[in-house]
Amino acid sequence: MTGRTIERIHARQILDSRGRPTVEVDVRLADGTLGRASVPSGASTGTHEAHELRDGDPADFAGLGVRRAVAAVDGEISAALRGHDPADQRGIDAALRGLDGTANLTRLGANAVLGTSLAVCRAAALAAGRPLYRHIAELAGVPAPVLPMPMVNILSGGLHAGRGMNVQDFLVVPASANTIGEALHQVAKVRAAASEVAAARGLPTLLADEGGLSPGCPDSRTALELMVEIFATAGLEPGVDALIAIDVAAHSLAGPDGRYRFGREGVTRTTPEVIDLIEGWVRDFPVVSVEDGLDEEDWAGWTTLTARLGERVTLIGDDLFTTNPARLTHGAALGAATGILVKVNQNGTLSGTLDVLADARAAGYVPVVSARSGETEDDFLADLAVGTAAGQIKVGSLRCSDRLAKYNQLLRIAEDDRVPFAGAPGARS
Ligand code: PGA
Ligand code: ZN
């Protein structure tokens, strides 16, 4: 026990993939082991996410500084956790929540708490001399880790690309791949074909926040047709080798009147009209999943959408659930959605995130472990997705090292031949 205790926790302000401040935490153990983790940040955030503490000082990164969260780690958090066993993830996460004392981690900041929680996990795995994904599997009570199928951004709009399209993301799922290596190879072909097709059409080839293209298609059907053309150009059969996942991020379209504004088309749609639109996508294109098709408070709409399309595609709640156990329970009781996006910083602790994954599985929801549009070089999510056997991962396009860090870690984990690949996602788990 002596060497494996927390000696000191230290944080610093670093910069994420958008050049904005975020928190990095170092957990130092008495035996010298160093566990380090950093915290991601969203742009199209849900209202019910754990609280990201920012300083609001206009002179420091336009108010986005995280120096108060850093100070909370160096001060209160380090003092409270000194001498604790890092293997006791649950106890440490409970202590962090207790120390904060608020439901949403508003006092110390979810960024301070999550950075500590993840760095503690890494320190414990390193001290035990075992791979992070095996350590996480044990914490999660998952008997066998599994490499996830990626869903990868190809075309982006919404808040990730200057609102160049109303629907936020069109992603590829390389469904016929048999290994993670093959999956990434297929995605690389699709991503290259996307640049090729865009250039040939005179569309912009500059990058959106997660490394996809931002072609500024006037409406969703144009973007879906472009996706199918890109698959064909890549030599992949649409609907067999390559499926389409869509993230509407409808919260960013919802107005105070309960209607959805598709500004590029100059159209406002009611909830039933959005459901009709989504049904058209599913009917006419090889769509495997639709995320945040409706707003986070449109529970009645979600129930209707799920009754209509839940057997045909996975309907994923991101802003709807915000990796929050109470919201998942509420949604499950209503029959809202069939899948859940799992983002560690929406929840605030690793244990809390593992609990949501377990709840999701118990309720029959398809989990997708996800990054944020603001990321760092930290590759924790790869091990999280494998260790929890989540089955799917969403960490952005095959561009930018903040994204590739996760994919490259999956390739390293694939050297462990006891870890199988999840393969194609089903409509329901
Ligand atoms: P965010 O976007 O990280 O900007 O919230 C990701 C998503 O909507 O899934
Ligand atoms: Zn989303």
Side-chain angles (χ1 to χ4, degrees):
M1 176 81 184
T2 44
R4 302 247 180 106
T5 54
I6 295 172
E7 191 171 83
R8 179 168 180 249
I9 306 182
H10 170 58
R12 64 183 66 83
Q13 176 169 302
I14 63 165
L15 301 178
D16 72 12
S17 53
R18 280 189 281 247
R20 295 178 186 166
T22 191
V23 177
E24 178 171 85
V25 178
D26 286 359
V27 169
R28 181 73 69 178
L29 305 187
D31 68 0
T33 302
L34 171 68
R36 173 174 291 164
S38 53
V39 178
S41 176
S44 73
T45 49
T47 309
H48 303 280
E49 299 194 10
H51 184 73
E52 182 178 75
L53 187 64
R54 298 220 178 249
D55 301 332
D57 172 4
D60 188 33
F61 288 91
L64 296 174
V66 292
R67 298 190 194 280
R68 282 190 292 155
V70 164
V73 174
D74 283 352
E76 276 189 67
I77 289 177
S78 183
L81 296 185
R82 189 169 304 134
H84 277 247
D85 179 355
D88 179 21
Q89 186 76 44
R90 231 160 238 291
I92 284 173
D93 288 340
L96 285 165
R97 279 207 176 272
L99 188 64
D100 179 88
T102 70
N104 250 5
L105 302 176
T106 42
R107 195 177 74 79
L108 300 172
N111 37 2
V113 169
L114 178 72
T116 304
S117 181
L118 300 183
V120 162
C121 179
R122 243 205 197 107
L126 283 168
R130 61 179 168 185
L132 184 58
Y133 59 93
R134 296 237 170 249
H135 181 69
I136 291 172
E138 190 175 300
L139 292 176
V142 166
V146 175
L147 280 153
M149 172 63 88
M151 60 165 74
V152 181
N153 298 50
I154 300 299
L155 309 179
S156 289
L159 296 174
H160 294 167
R163 290 192 186 269
M165 301 191 294
N166 294 132
V167 171
Q168 183 177 278
D169 298 296
F170 295 88
L171 308 95
V172 61
V173 176
S176 64
N178 293 309
T179 65
I180 184 66
E182 229 175 271
L184 294 177
H185 187 195
Q186 290 195 6
V187 171
K189 290 182 195 170
V190 172
R191 183 62 184 76
S195 292
E196 202 181 304
V197 170
R201 291 199 182 184
L203 297 170
T205 52
L206 299 176
L207 302 189
D209 280 2
E210 297 190 23
L213 293 179
S214 177
C217 298
D219 57 39
S220 49
R221 293 189 79 88
T222 309
L224 287 164
E225 281 158 13
L226 192 58
M227 286 293 284
V228 169
E229 185 185 333
I230 289 166
F231 293 168
T233 304
L236 300 174
E237 191 177 335
V240 176
D241 299 317
L243 306 175
I244 299 173
I246 300 170
D247 183 2
V248 181
H251 179 51
S252 64
L253 305 178
D257 56 358
R259 289 165 186 254
Y260 296 86
R261 281 160 184 71
F262 291 74
R264 287 275 288 143
E265 296 169 61
V267 171
T268 295
R269 292 185 169 94
T270 62
T271 295
E273 285 167 348
V274 175
I275 295 174
D276 287 346
L277 179 74
I278 295 172
E279 185 160 43
W281 299 339
V282 172
R283 186 187 58 229
D284 299 335
F285 297 94
V287 175
V288 64
S289 62
V290 179
E291 177 180 331
D292 280 354
L294 293 168
D295 183 47
E296 60 189 30
E297 302 303 351
D298 194 351
W299 289 106
W302 270 97
T303 304
T304 309
L305 173 69
T306 308
R308 281 261 290 278
L309 296 177
E311 299 295 331
R312 290 159 68 189
V313 287
T314 304
L315 298 163
I316 300 171
D318 170 13
D319 294 342
L320 179 71
F321 294 132
T322 53
T323 318
N324 177 308
R327 290 186 68 85
L328 176 60
T329 303
H330 185 64
L334 294 174
T338 63
I340 177 171
L341 215 68
V342 175
K343 291 171 166 170
V344 282
N345 78 320
Q346 285 182 336
N347 182 280
T349 69
L350 177 62
S351 303
T353 305
L354 297 181
D355 287 347
V356 169
L357 272 158
D359 291 353
R361 202 165 262 130
Y365 280 71
V366 174
V368 180
V369 167
S370 173
R372 303 308 303 253
S373 51
E375 273 291 330
T376 73
E377 62 275 26
D378 194 328
D379 56 11
F380 193 98
L381 280 191
D383 288 80
L384 179 66
V386 172
T388 57
Q392 291 187 73
I393 192 167
K394 180 187 173 203
V395 293
S397 206
L398 285 198
R399 289 290 187 283
C400 312
S401 284
D402 46 303
R403 313 288 149 189
L404 272 304
K406 283 74 164 169
Y407 293 124
N408 289 338
Q409 176 64 0
L410 292 176
L411 292 173
R412 286 179 208 111
I413 296 172
E415 290 179 359
D416 180 345
D417 52 23
R418 291 168 301 163
V419 183
F421 176 57
R428 270 183 188 274
S429 64

PDB file of all heavy atoms in Angstrom, residues 41-45 160 168 210 247 291 318 341 343 370-373 394, ligand 1:
ATOM      1  N   SER A  41     -13.465  19.537 -24.382  1.00  0.00           N
ATOM      2  CA  SER A  41     -14.471  20.594 -24.256  1.00  0.00           C
ATOM      3  C   SER A  41     -15.346  20.644 -25.510  1.00  0.00           C
ATOM      4  O   SER A  41     -14.834  20.600 -26.631  1.00  0.00           O
ATOM      5  CB  SER A  41     -13.754  21.932 -24.070  1.00  0.00           C
ATOM      6  OG  SER A  41     -14.696  22.986 -24.033  1.00  0.00           O
ATOM      7  N   GLY A  42     -16.656  20.740 -25.316  1.00  0.00           N
ATOM      8  CA  GLY A  42     -17.583  20.752 -26.449  1.00  0.00           C
ATOM      9  C   GLY A  42     -17.870  22.148 -26.962  1.00  0.00           C
ATOM     10  O   GLY A  42     -17.581  23.153 -26.302  1.00  0.00           O
ATOM     11  N   ALA A  43     -18.454  22.206 -28.172  1.00  0.00           N
ATOM     12  CA  ALA A  43     -18.961  23.476 -28.724  1.00  0.00           C
ATOM     13  C   ALA A  43     -20.483  23.435 -28.792  1.00  0.00           C
ATOM     14  O   ALA A  43     -21.153  24.403 -28.436  1.00  0.00           O
ATOM     15  CB  ALA A  43     -18.389  23.717 -30.114  1.00  0.00           C
ATOM     16  N   SER A  44     -21.037  22.301 -29.244  1.00  0.00           N
ATOM     17  CA  SER A  44     -22.496  22.177 -29.274  1.00  0.00           C
ATOM     18  C   SER A  44     -22.906  21.406 -28.021  1.00  0.00           C
ATOM     19  O   SER A  44     -23.198  20.220 -28.044  1.00  0.00           O
ATOM     20  CB  SER A  44     -22.972  21.501 -30.560  1.00  0.00           C
ATOM     21  OG  SER A  44     -22.704  20.142 -30.582  1.00  0.00           O
ATOM     22  N   THR A  45     -22.878  22.109 -26.917  1.00  0.00           N
ATOM     23  CA  THR A  45     -23.059  21.460 -25.612  1.00  0.00           C
ATOM     24  C   THR A  45     -24.535  21.334 -25.241  1.00  0.00           C
ATOM     25  O   THR A  45     -25.366  22.143 -25.655  1.00  0.00           O
ATOM     26  CB  THR A  45     -22.347  22.279 -24.517  1.00  0.00           C
ATOM     27  OG1 THR A  45     -22.748  23.644 -24.669  1.00  0.00           O
ATOM     28  CG2 THR A  45     -20.849  22.219 -24.673  1.00  0.00           C
ATOM     29  N   HIS A 160     -19.675  23.243 -35.548  1.00  0.00           N
ATOM     30  CA  HIS A 160     -18.307  22.775 -35.800  1.00  0.00           C
ATOM     31  C   HIS A 160     -17.735  23.358 -37.080  1.00  0.00           C
ATOM     32  O   HIS A 160     -16.591  23.092 -37.427  1.00  0.00           O
ATOM     33  CB  HIS A 160     -18.276  21.240 -35.901  1.00  0.00           C
ATOM     34  CG  HIS A 160     -18.608  20.571 -34.620  1.00  0.00           C
ATOM     35  ND1 HIS A 160     -18.891  19.239 -34.521  1.00  0.00           N
ATOM     36  CD2 HIS A 160     -18.709  21.072 -33.364  1.00  0.00           C
ATOM     37  CE1 HIS A 160     -19.158  18.942 -33.259  1.00  0.00           C
ATOM     38  NE2 HIS A 160     -19.056  20.038 -32.541  1.00  0.00           N
ATOM     39  N   GLN A 168     -25.271  18.909 -38.244  1.00  0.00           N
ATOM     40  CA  GLN A 168     -23.897  19.115 -37.789  1.00  0.00           C
ATOM     41  C   GLN A 168     -22.868  18.182 -38.432  1.00  0.00           C
ATOM     42  O   GLN A 168     -21.815  18.630 -38.868  1.00  0.00           O
ATOM     43  CB  GLN A 168     -23.838  18.981 -36.264  1.00  0.00           C
ATOM     44  CG  GLN A 168     -22.472  19.240 -35.656  1.00  0.00           C
ATOM     45  CD  GLN A 168     -22.515  19.150 -34.148  1.00  0.00           C
ATOM     46  OE1 GLN A 168     -22.885  20.103 -33.471  1.00  0.00           O
ATOM     47  NE2 GLN A 168     -22.168  18.004 -33.609  1.00  0.00           N
ATOM     48  N   GLU A 210     -13.489  18.969 -36.201  1.00  0.00           N
ATOM     49  CA  GLU A 210     -13.085  17.589 -35.914  1.00  0.00           C
ATOM     50  C   GLU A 210     -12.388  16.949 -37.114  1.00  0.00           C
ATOM     51  O   GLU A 210     -12.298  15.725 -37.204  1.00  0.00           O
ATOM     52  CB  GLU A 210     -14.295  16.763 -35.463  1.00  0.00           C
ATOM     53  CG  GLU A 210     -14.874  17.296 -34.163  1.00  0.00           C
ATOM     54  CD  GLU A 210     -15.923  16.376 -33.538  1.00  0.00           C
ATOM     55  OE1 GLU A 210     -15.924  15.180 -33.824  1.00  0.00           O
ATOM     56  OE2 GLU A 210     -16.740  16.898 -32.764  1.00  0.00           O
ATOM     57  N   ASP A 247     -25.286  13.188 -37.165  1.00  0.00           N
ATOM     58  CA  ASP A 247     -25.527  13.917 -35.910  1.00  0.00           C
ATOM     59  C   ASP A 247     -26.202  15.243 -36.268  1.00  0.00           C
ATOM     60  O   ASP A 247     -25.554  16.148 -36.803  1.00  0.00           O
ATOM     61  CB  ASP A 247     -24.212  14.148 -35.149  1.00  0.00           C
ATOM     62  CG  ASP A 247     -24.441  14.835 -33.798  1.00  0.00           C
ATOM     63  OD1 ASP A 247     -25.622  15.100 -33.451  1.00  0.00           O
ATOM     64  OD2 ASP A 247     -23.446  15.113 -33.092  1.00  0.00           O
ATOM     65  N   GLU A 291     -28.181  10.803 -34.507  1.00  0.00           N
ATOM     66  CA  GLU A 291     -27.947  11.346 -33.167  1.00  0.00           C
ATOM     67  C   GLU A 291     -28.640  12.697 -33.019  1.00  0.00           C
ATOM     68  O   GLU A 291     -28.642  13.506 -33.955  1.00  0.00           O
ATOM     69  CB  GLU A 291     -26.425  11.495 -32.997  1.00  0.00           C
ATOM     70  CG  GLU A 291     -25.967  12.112 -31.698  1.00  0.00           C
ATOM     71  CD  GLU A 291     -24.441  12.209 -31.661  1.00  0.00           C
ATOM     72  OE1 GLU A 291     -23.766  11.375 -32.299  1.00  0.00           O
ATOM     73  OE2 GLU A 291     -23.926  13.126 -31.010  1.00  0.00           O
ATOM     74  N   ASP A 318     -27.449  12.482 -27.354  1.00  0.00           N
ATOM     75  CA  ASP A 318     -26.204  13.107 -26.876  1.00  0.00           C
ATOM     76  C   ASP A 318     -26.591  14.247 -25.922  1.00  0.00           C
ATOM     77  O   ASP A 318     -26.623  14.056 -24.699  1.00  0.00           O
ATOM     78  CB  ASP A 318     -25.392  13.603 -28.081  1.00  0.00           C
ATOM     79  CG  ASP A 318     -24.203  14.474 -27.706  1.00  0.00           C
ATOM     80  OD1 ASP A 318     -23.831  14.513 -26.533  1.00  0.00           O
ATOM     81  OD2 ASP A 318     -23.621  15.127 -28.610  1.00  0.00           O
ATOM     82  N   LEU A 341     -24.827   8.579 -26.484  1.00  0.00           N
ATOM     83  CA  LEU A 341     -23.459   9.039 -26.625  1.00  0.00           C
ATOM     84  C   LEU A 341     -22.890   9.206 -25.212  1.00  0.00           C
ATOM     85  O   LEU A 341     -23.559   9.761 -24.346  1.00  0.00           O
ATOM     86  CB  LEU A 341     -23.414  10.372 -27.378  1.00  0.00           C
ATOM     87  CG  LEU A 341     -22.182  10.523 -28.274  1.00  0.00           C
ATOM     88  CD1 LEU A 341     -22.262   9.535 -29.427  1.00  0.00           C
ATOM     89  CD2 LEU A 341     -22.013  11.929 -28.796  1.00  0.00           C
ATOM     90  N   LYS A 343     -19.914  10.775 -23.020  1.00  0.00           N
ATOM     91  CA  LYS A 343     -18.820  11.744 -23.007  1.00  0.00           C
ATOM     92  C   LYS A 343     -18.404  11.968 -21.550  1.00  0.00           C
ATOM     93  O   LYS A 343     -19.230  12.400 -20.731  1.00  0.00           O
ATOM     94  CB  LYS A 343     -19.295  13.066 -23.606  1.00  0.00           C
ATOM     95  CG  LYS A 343     -19.571  13.001 -25.117  1.00  0.00           C
ATOM     96  CD  LYS A 343     -20.241  14.274 -25.599  1.00  0.00           C
ATOM     97  CE  LYS A 343     -20.215  14.407 -27.119  1.00  0.00           C
ATOM     98  NZ  LYS A 343     -21.066  15.530 -27.591  1.00  0.00           N
ATOM     99  N   SER A 370     -17.583   8.786 -26.876  1.00  0.00           N
ATOM    100  CA  SER A 370     -17.336   9.926 -27.765  1.00  0.00           C
ATOM    101  C   SER A 370     -16.381  10.961 -27.194  1.00  0.00           C
ATOM    102  O   SER A 370     -16.404  11.271 -26.000  1.00  0.00           O
ATOM    103  CB  SER A 370     -18.669  10.612 -28.086  1.00  0.00           C
ATOM    104  OG  SER A 370     -18.453  11.814 -28.803  1.00  0.00           O
ATOM    105  N   ALA A 371     -15.580  11.531 -28.101  1.00  0.00           N
ATOM    106  CA  ALA A 371     -14.747  12.689 -27.790  1.00  0.00           C
ATOM    107  C   ALA A 371     -15.604  13.947 -27.854  1.00  0.00           C
ATOM    108  O   ALA A 371     -16.815  13.885 -28.063  1.00  0.00           O
ATOM    109  CB  ALA A 371     -13.607  12.782 -28.808  1.00  0.00           C
ATOM    110  N   ARG A 372     -14.974  15.105 -27.678  1.00  0.00           N
ATOM    111  CA  ARG A 372     -15.622  16.395 -27.887  1.00  0.00           C
ATOM    112  C   ARG A 372     -14.976  17.071 -29.097  1.00  0.00           C
ATOM    113  O   ARG A 372     -13.924  16.667 -29.550  1.00  0.00           O
ATOM    114  CB  ARG A 372     -15.464  17.309 -26.657  1.00  0.00           C
ATOM    115  CG  ARG A 372     -15.979  16.773 -25.343  1.00  0.00           C
ATOM    116  CD  ARG A 372     -17.415  16.270 -25.390  1.00  0.00           C
ATOM    117  NE  ARG A 372     -18.410  17.219 -25.817  1.00  0.00           N
ATOM    118  CZ  ARG A 372     -19.306  17.814 -25.031  1.00  0.00           C
ATOM    119  NH1 ARG A 372     -19.304  17.545 -23.738  1.00  0.00           N
ATOM    120  NH2 ARG A 372     -20.211  18.634 -25.517  1.00  0.00           N
ATOM    121  N   SER A 373     -15.626  18.145 -29.548  1.00  0.00           N
ATOM    122  CA  SER A 373     -15.029  18.860 -30.686  1.00  0.00           C
ATOM    123  C   SER A 373     -13.740  19.579 -30.286  1.00  0.00           C
ATOM    124  O   SER A 373     -12.875  19.819 -31.120  1.00  0.00           O
ATOM    125  CB  SER A 373     -16.031  19.829 -31.295  1.00  0.00           C
ATOM    126  OG  SER A 373     -16.595  20.650 -30.304  1.00  0.00           O
ATOM    127  N   LYS A 394     -16.548   7.396 -31.297  1.00  0.00           N
ATOM    128  CA  LYS A 394     -16.709   8.566 -32.164  1.00  0.00           C
ATOM    129  C   LYS A 394     -15.728   9.625 -31.695  1.00  0.00           C
ATOM    130  O   LYS A 394     -15.944  10.261 -30.666  1.00  0.00           O
ATOM    131  CB  LYS A 394     -18.151   9.072 -32.037  1.00  0.00           C
ATOM    132  CG  LYS A 394     -18.484  10.285 -32.861  1.00  0.00           C
ATOM    133  CD  LYS A 394     -19.872  10.785 -32.506  1.00  0.00           C
ATOM    134  CE  LYS A 394     -20.167  12.096 -33.191  1.00  0.00           C
ATOM    135  NZ  LYS A 394     -21.200  12.872 -32.502  1.00  0.00           N
TER     136      LYS A 394
HETATM  137  P1  PGA B   1     -19.358  18.871 -29.166  1.00  0.00           P
HETATM  138  O1  PGA B   1     -19.874  18.030 -30.390  1.00  0.00           O
HETATM  139  O2  PGA B   1     -18.177  18.196 -28.589  1.00  0.00           O
HETATM  140  O3  PGA B   1     -19.068  20.196 -29.797  1.00  0.00           O
HETATM  141  O4  PGA B   1     -20.510  18.946 -28.197  1.00  0.00           O
HETATM  142  C1  PGA B   1     -19.821  16.643 -30.496  1.00  0.00           C
HETATM  143  C2  PGA B   1     -21.204  16.098 -30.744  1.00  0.00           C
HETATM  144  O5  PGA B   1     -22.168  16.857 -30.892  1.00  0.00           O
HETATM  145  O6  PGA B   1     -21.372  14.890 -30.735  1.00  0.00           O
END
